Amino acid sequence: MFNKSESSKCSFLEQTKAAREERAQEKKREAAAILLQSHVRGWLTRIRFTKKILDDFDVLLPPEGCAELRPSVQVYQNASRFLFVWKKERDKERFEMLCRYLVSSLESDSVKLSYVGVALNKEYALAWISHMKTILWKCCIYLDDLHPEYPADMCTMLLYLHTLVAFTSTNTWFILKAKHMEVLKSGMNQLCANIMGHLFNKGFYLTLKTLLIRGLGRSKVTLKHVSLSAIITLALRPLVSANFSEKLMTMFLIHILCVPGLILHLQNLAPECVSAIISHEIFGRSLDLLNLEQNTRIVFNVLEGNYALCLLANLIHLAYIQREDALRELYFPSFTFVVTRLLESCQHYVTSKQSNLTHWHPVLGWFAQETDSALMESIPHVRSQLQLLWSSPMVSALLGHVLEEAEPPESSDGVPQAVGGTGLLRRALLEHRGACHSAGRNRLGSAECSKVALVCSLYQTALATLTQLRLEVLTGLCYQDKILFSLWQFICSLGPNCGLKSFLDLLTVNTKCNAPEFQMLILFCDCMTHYVTILDDLEMYEQQKPFRLTDFVVMCSFLNNFLYKAILGNLFDVKNLNGNQLFQMAHTLLTVLYRRDCRRNYTPDNHWLIKELRVGSFVNDLEKGKKTTQVLLQKMPHIIPHDERVQLFRKYVANEKAVLGLTESACASPQATLITIHRSRIVEDGYRQLAMLPSQALKGVIRVRFINAQGLDEAGIDQDGVFKEFLEETIKRVFDPSLNLFRVTSEERLYPSPTSYMQDNHLQLFEFVGRMLGKAVYEGIVVDVPFASFFLSQLLGQQNQVLYSSMDELPSLDRELYRSLTFIKHHQGDVQELDLTFSVDEDCLGRLVTHELIPGGKAVPVTNENKINYIHLMAHFRMHTQIKDQTAAFIRGFRSIINPEWLSLFSTPELQRLISGDNVPLDLKDLRKHTQYYGGFHDSHRVVCWLWDILEKDFTNEERKLFLKFVTSCSKPPLLGFAHLEPPFSIRCVEVGDDEDTGDTIGSVIRGFFTIRKKDPQNRLPTSSTCFNLLKLPNYQKKSTLREKLRYAVSSNTGFELS
């Protein structure tokens, strides 16, 4: 019974709990229903309320337009309610209608009708100000979504801009034009300033920047005069309202003046805006702001590289426009410092953005950057603005002006007369001493010099930063109103030898070479290198305007001594010379001037030698491994005499032979290579046996066994002469133009034939020829092979250097073509009338082949704008493109024997002398001193004395050259004299008939010594064996006979034979 009662109780409690929960759920459902109903009622009410407001608004301002103005208070009340329910997309047309009405109401002078009249009502004044701020900001919101390239959007944009312009200035408020309302004008201006401040704080400038970039940041500008004028007017108003405060000016620079090509487009589309910018002194105020390094850093950090470059371009354009007024006052230091600092910031930015994920920038080069299509499309406009910096008016206004200020007064006493002499260098120094006689005030560290140096530093920073415009900058500086020549005259005025001691003293304290004075020197060297590179012979040697040859002489002397003393004194970090810009630029200019002098001399003899240099000590330091001496030899080998460099070259060869075990002691070893050559197939057999021979083996001893026409071995004297004959015969045949491997210029100089491809394996043949010539140079065997200068330059590797000029070398290939191209360069009329294109026609075996100098060159006409490019491309095609494969093969073979580093000791003409001997008159005393005699002859022998007497007194210089060619196969003496002729020159007495020379038998020696005649040799000619440098001379009985026979023999080159 008890259990039953307990169970009933539990059941009751559960039922009670369930009922309670059910009641609670019911209450929640009721509450939710009530809440839902209230939301729906509220939503329906709001819909009705909104509809009522919109209906009232549409009645007041119908979409088709309002025929007449309504009371302003009524419009204000309706507009306020409208803005309360405003939605961006739904109410776009209504908002446009409101803006149209508000703008049109300003044309009324009635307080009741003009919308500004509401502000004069005390009840609504404060609310109206807030109301207008809301309306104007909503205009900005709509502007953010508009695209000027669409005509519909352009109309809407003009409406919103008109609204903003109308309500941010009292100029268009007719209500204030009445006399009794003038007292309110200042208050209303303050009201507009208040509105402008609100818009500025909300991001007004961002809206304007977006519009400007969308309209101007494209290849085809879409903003028109009205819209552009409105935007600039709006951009200037906050500045004027805030009295050009630093904060507002900073924002103006960051958002407005950084728009790509802004000033350029304003000048073209809305010039009155440029006038407004000038009248508000925006240029000067911007410079004042950016003069503080902290401000520059803030602006640059916000803009980063690309838009900072656009800001710089707009500032440069403003400077260009105001170059006759504001820039005259601001160019130094303000403009100079600001532009330099912005360029440096861009340079550091590009450096910091180097990575594997880089993009190419048309002005700054390669660096990691975000893709910005609008910016990329407008870069041509930015580029044209930057180009103004090195335009003639700007260069004159900046660099020309400071150089005028620093120009020393004219010397009253003229050139000093105390210095005698008529040498070119002496005259040059005299002229410059006269020009700079009163240059005492121009010295490094003076105010004038610092001013010039800092302006030069600006342009040098532009060269380093605007990497893709480098050539344009250089060209602008080189060809503007003799600015470069004026800079040279200024440098000359810095003291003796162009202030050499002052520059060296500065270098001791400024080892990083970043002083402005060094930037000035770097800029000069950079520009002068460019100038000399594109200067043709007519301009340099004949016209001499403005630079005379004497200027170049002094320039060479200064650079030569400056670099020599700086390196020798350890003023440069020799371990990092390639990273030192001052050294690189000065050395490059020196190299260009030296090579120009090598090609066509303009300096006096021994001008390039350093007089204080002691060759013996220099060589000793070199052997000890002194770093500065090694650098001097590597970078400036011309400072030591040529003979010393040839001896160094021979020493390098001897050292290599010793290392490779190829010295004389090893010559008899089995390592010598034996080749068999048929006389009828000298080139073919030589190529077959030597072409695949390793370089090391070819550098060693090569023994040659000749096979005659009957197939029998020829006997040869074992003096390496047989190999010399093989080498000479091989070189003689392969360089024969009839083989079509090489051609000759009009000056009888050799170069690879463009049509050599008609020969089988022609490239392998060229490599073989290169190896053979290399072997001749390696062994010191001179061969009479005159090469064209341009080909020797390629052999030295000069064509791969940045500043190599094909046009300079062209006369050595085709003087007529050079004259024609020079005519085109200096042609005063329209070059297009000559009917030239970027292509060249070539006759290949009767078939006309057209080569294009650039892709599609046949359709590209040559004009005055591109003619310089054309002449350089044409010269490059003739000297490089046509024969690049042949040249590369020849150089590959030559360098497999001769180390390219050894060749760097020599200039182009010096390399020719290394190959073919010295181009000096035959030194008979030296030849006689180093002559060996055989067959009974001796130095006092009657016939021998006659020989030397005839050579000295009876033979002309040309006949002496023929004599030397007759006995050695080369008309030029060895570079270091006949002591280095291998084998030594020798004279053998031949007194037997029929060429039966049996050598030095006892009988022949006795007969020769006592001048015993076995047979009268009067009908016999002197003969030679050039492979042994041997003259076979009959024992003539009369001096006249010897003279006659010798002259006949050398003139007809009779007697070339193997003993």
Side-chain angles (χ1 to χ4, degrees), residues 354-372:
Q354 297 297 323
S355 72
N356 294 329
L357 301 173
T358 59
H359 298 279
W360 184 74
H361 190 282
V363 174
L364 300 174
W366 290 97
F367 66 97
Q369 54 184 313
E370 294 181 5
T371 53
D372 187 332

Side-chain angles (χ1 to χ4, degrees), residues 533-663:
T533 301
I534 58 181
L535 203 65
D536 60 44
D537 286 359
L538 176 68
E539 295 165 322
M540 181 168 180
Y541 293 94
E542 296 176 30
Q543 295 176 351
Q544 296 191 39
K545 292 180 182 179
F547 286 93
R548 297 159 297 174
L549 290 179
T550 50
D551 292 307
F552 292 116
V553 172
V554 175
M555 206 179 295
C556 297
S557 177
F558 164 67
L559 292 169
N560 214 29
N561 283 281
F562 173 70
L563 291 177
Y564 169 73
K565 292 176 186 292
I567 293 173
L568 197 66
N570 275 312
L571 301 181
F572 289 128
D573 180 8
V574 293
K575 295 179 181 177
N576 189 34
L577 277 181
N578 291 334
N580 188 305
Q581 196 177 21
L582 175 60
F583 172 82
Q584 284 296 312
M585 292 303 147
H587 179 258
T588 301
L589 176 57
L590 181 67
T591 303
V592 168
L593 291 171
Y594 175 67
R595 288 179 181 163
R596 196 65 176 256
D597 184 56
C598 290
R599 189 170 62 79
R600 182 173 172 181
N601 182 260
Y602 60 84
T603 61
D605 293 340
N606 299 324
H607 173 74
W608 296 98
L609 303 180
I610 298 292
K611 293 178 177 58
E612 63 194 63
L613 186 145
R614 298 290 175 265
V615 177
S617 302
F618 186 89
V619 174
N620 288 337
D621 290 341
L622 204 58
E623 291 175 349
K624 292 175 184 176
K626 190 175 179 181
K627 188 65 178 176
T628 53
T629 312
Q630 292 174 339
V631 170
L632 282 171
L633 184 66
Q634 179 189 1
K635 300 291 185 180
M636 304 169 63
H638 58 259
I639 62 173
I640 58 175
H642 175 247
D643 287 355
E644 304 297 333
R645 280 179 278 138
V646 176
Q647 289 184 14
L648 275 173
F649 176 80
R650 300 310 322 167
K651 187 178 291 185
Y652 290 154
V653 173
N655 291 342
E656 185 178 83
K657 283 185 174 182
V659 170
L660 298 176
L662 304 175
T663 52

Side-chain angles (χ1 to χ4, degrees), residues 491-502:
I491 292 173
C492 290
S493 74
L494 295 175
N497 202 1
C498 307
L500 175 63
K501 185 177 183 303
S502 301

Side-chain angles (χ1 to χ4, degrees), residues 438-457:
S438 300
R441 72 186 181 94
N442 280 345
R443 63 185 188 279
L444 293 187
S446 67
E448 293 84 0
C449 183
S450 297
K451 203 170 181 179
V452 173
L454 286 166
V455 176
C456 288
S457 183

Side-chain angles (χ1 to χ4, degrees), residues 62 86 180 203 283 319 478 516 522 626 937 948:
W86 169 85
H180 67 280
F283 176 61
C478 289
I522 291 169
K626 190 175 179 181
F937 277 164
W948 296 119

Side-chain angles (χ1 to χ4, degrees), residues 675 677-678 681-687 690 704 706 722-736 739 741-742 765 768-773 783 785 1056:
I675 60 173
I677 304 294
H678 291 77
R681 303 196 305 269
I682 288 182
V683 176
E684 293 84 346
D685 287 354
Y687 171 73
L690 295 177
V704 178
F706 275 117
V722 181
F723 174 71
K724 180 174 182 284
E725 182 192 1
F726 160 73
L727 198 59
E728 288 171 348
E729 277 293 287
T730 301
I731 288 174
K732 179 181 177 182
R733 296 191 187 189
V734 294
F735 285 110
D736 186 345
L739 191 62
L741 280 180
F742 286 84
L765 273 172
F768 170 68
V769 175
R771 298 182 87 195
M772 290 298 98
L773 186 68
V783 288
V785 182
F1056 184 87

Side-chain angles (χ1 to χ4, degrees), residues 787-798:
F787 287 110
S789 174
F790 81 91
F791 181 64
L792 290 170
S793 296
Q794 297 186 42
L795 201 55
L796 289 172
Q798 294 177 5

